[in-house]
Amino acid sequence: MDYISNTPGDIEEMLKVIGVKSIDDLFADIPASVGLNKKTALPAPLTEIEAGDLLTEIAGRNCVLKSFIGAGVYSHYIPAVVDHLASRSEFYTAYTPYQPEVSQGTLTAIFEFQTLICRLTGMDITNASMYDGATSLAEAVFMAVRSGNRNAVIVSDTVHPHYRQVLDTYSRAGGIEVRTLKSKNGAVTAGDIDMLMDDAVSAVVVQNPNFFGCCEDLVEIADAAHSGKAYLITVVTEPMSLGILKSPGEQGADIVCGEGQSFGNPAGFGGPLLGILAAKDSFLRKMPGRLVGKTTDADGTEAYVLTLQTREQHIRRDRATSNICTNQGLCALRSVIYMTLLGNTLRELADLNHRLASYLKRRLVEMGFTPVFERPFFNEFVLSFDDVERVRSALRNDCYQFGVPLGRYYPEHENSLLLCATEMNSPADIDRLVSVIEQTL
Amino acid sequence: MSVIPEDLLFTKDHEWIRPDDSQIKGTCGITDHAQEMLTDIVFVELPERGDQVEKGAQIAVVESVKAVSDVYAPVSGVIVEVNARLEDNPDLINSDPYGDGWLFVIEIKNPGELDDLMNGKAYEEHVESGD
């Protein structure tokens, strides 16, 4: 099939076959009164050169923002190798490969992805990826509810607000009761979990580092969840943190879900994202989506295939585990290339993120910003400042994205900003930012 | 042709039940025909002892390399025993569907419900009709 449009001859022939006189006859059911009945106000066609000039001029009006925000989507350097390998035609598809005989490369890459995510999260099994962190959380909750046969979950208010909105939508339809756990001083306490715990609760959901950037005490939280016979679901929105933080699995998590965008995928304007879902072995048959397994082919050679598909929609219809029937193949591929390239350097990179964020925090505190929470953090933290909106909009004019106003999501934190620094914000960048702020004040 | 023992009762969904003489309890499983259709069985999700079920309710799940199938309760009652050997040896259903491959024992709430089930001859016709 080619993409050359139909010739007048083709059109005439097709019209004859279906028995109408003209193309307009096909739209005869639409009342003339609702038609546009005039030419659209589009400009005259341009040559390729003219169109190029026009678009370059429009693009020139953009201001390329220097980002000091994270909040679920992080700006990290993407080595050239990632683009190069991911755009090879053998790999370049967003879809899950159903035919192992022609997809060994992609299947091998997904298998490696699963292995690396298991290692980073401290879990036994990982699926081939989900759409994004938020839907991955919703699926994690459904998985816990299916396994525990109890229909309530306790969710910390330090979990990303967007994730909680998506979870609310899923839960409303799925008959799951969401109990919100109020944090104190930027983190969850085990005692507050106990207050909400009863026989109906199948999981406790916390994020680490949480939406405020603070590290939660996962061991204590896991104990509280487990003593109520509930699972601990840990959300990770910044997987770079796993380079220096103890894995959720080591700290007692049963399910780890969240976002993998940080690894080799651009922040874009918030996407495309890469959902991660990993769990302990016991969830193997409750896990939604695709899993790639290693096996041997008819000749006894190592081979990779999609496995455990029998519970999916195309086989099990309405009784399927989930309605997801694909994965984020290309984003997962980029992330596995990135992780493989970095290897143990991930630890150094994570450490650099933390040191740069610490430097940014120190400089801002020196000039009068106030830390809102006194807790360990990774690459994000919250500061408050009386005149925060004025500073923020002034900086916007200088092409800085200076933090996310926390009051949008937490009314009690008006005048607070959630700030982030990664390896993309060098000490010199931070010094420049500080001097721009000084001029504003 | 699959094996259809004469001393059992059958459902149209290919479950079997072997009631004891007094019709107080019955052992249940899936038929030889069902295991043949499913091919190699790799996992079984069993009910829990004490579960109360209504006739026709989904009670277990049998997973083969090809499909996942629901198993329905042939009669109403309480689950009093489950075949724990299937956890590690689900293939017992393939090798001995009417013996070691049994799924659970149910305490029969209403023996009258047994009259609704098929005998071996009727089940054989049901299988031949291709349903």
Side-chain angles (χ1 to χ4, degrees), chain A residues 30-69:
Chain A
I30 299 171
S33 60
V34 301
L36 188 60
N37 301 323
K38 60 176 184 190
K39 290 258 185 253
T40 47
L42 287 174
L46 300 177
T47 65
E48 205 170 304
I49 297 172
E50 289 166 332
D53 288 348
L54 176 67
L55 294 173
T56 307
E57 188 271 311
I58 293 171
R61 287 185 238 156
N62 281 327
C63 111
V64 179
L65 296 171
K66 197 80 201 161
S67 172
F68 285 86
I69 60 175

Side-chain angles (χ1 to χ4, degrees), chain A residues 285-286 310-311 316 319, chain B residues 43 45 58 63 68 70:
Chain A
R285 285 190 156 76
K286 309 280 182 190
T310 42
R311 284 156 196 268
R316 240 198 151 194
R319 301 194 66 88
Chain B
F43 185 72
E45 220 175 280
Q58 188 240 316
E63 179 175 340
V68 176
D70 291 328

Side-chain angles (χ1 to χ4, degrees), chain A residues 330-344:
Chain A
L330 199 54
C331 296
L333 173 72
R334 295 179 66 94
S335 83
V336 71
I337 295 168
Y338 181 90
M339 287 187 276
T340 309
L341 182 68
L342 254 64
N344 288 330

Side-chain angles (χ1 to χ4, degrees), chain A residues 160-173:
Chain A
H160 197 301
H162 292 168
Y163 285 36
R164 284 185 283 130
Q165 282 178 355
V166 171
L167 177 61
D168 280 343
T169 305
Y170 271 65
S171 303
R172 220 177 305 134

